[in-house]
Amino acid sequence: MLQNISKKEQNMTNRQSTLLFALLFVLSATFVFAQEQTKIPGKKLIELGWDIPNTRFMKSHWQEMEKTTPFDGIMFEVVPDNSD
C-alpha cells in the first residue's frame, strides 16, 4: 500500500504524524505540570542565615523553636555525639 503513495504524499503523512506527536507531547506535558502546580499548597519559607543551629541546640530548644519561628523549615548543622 505504501508503494502506491507518492513521495509528496509520504512526506505530508510524515509531517502530519510528527505534528500530531508534538502536539500530544506538549498537551501531556502541560497536563502533568498543571497537576504538579495544584499539589503545592503555597510557598514555603525556610530559614537560611549565619545563625544556623546545631543538633544539640535543636534537641534542647525544639519546642521553643516550634512556637516562635515563622519558618516552615530550617537548615541545621549536624554535630556528632562524641560522648563515647
Side-chain angles (χ1 to χ4, degrees), residues 32-69:
V32 168
F33 288 125
Q35 281 188 335
E36 288 295 320
Q37 291 296 322
T38 58
K39 291 180 184 177
I40 300 171
K43 291 185 178 180
K44 301 271 185 193
L45 184 60
I46 300 176
E47 179 186 13
L48 172 62
W50 292 101
D51 58 340
I52 297 175
N54 60 31
T55 51
R56 283 190 204 114
F57 179 85
M58 288 176 56
K59 186 176 180 180
S60 301
H61 298 91
W62 69 270
Q63 292 168 330
E64 179 185 340
M65 292 172 67
E66 281 283 323
K67 292 177 187 174
T68 59
T69 59

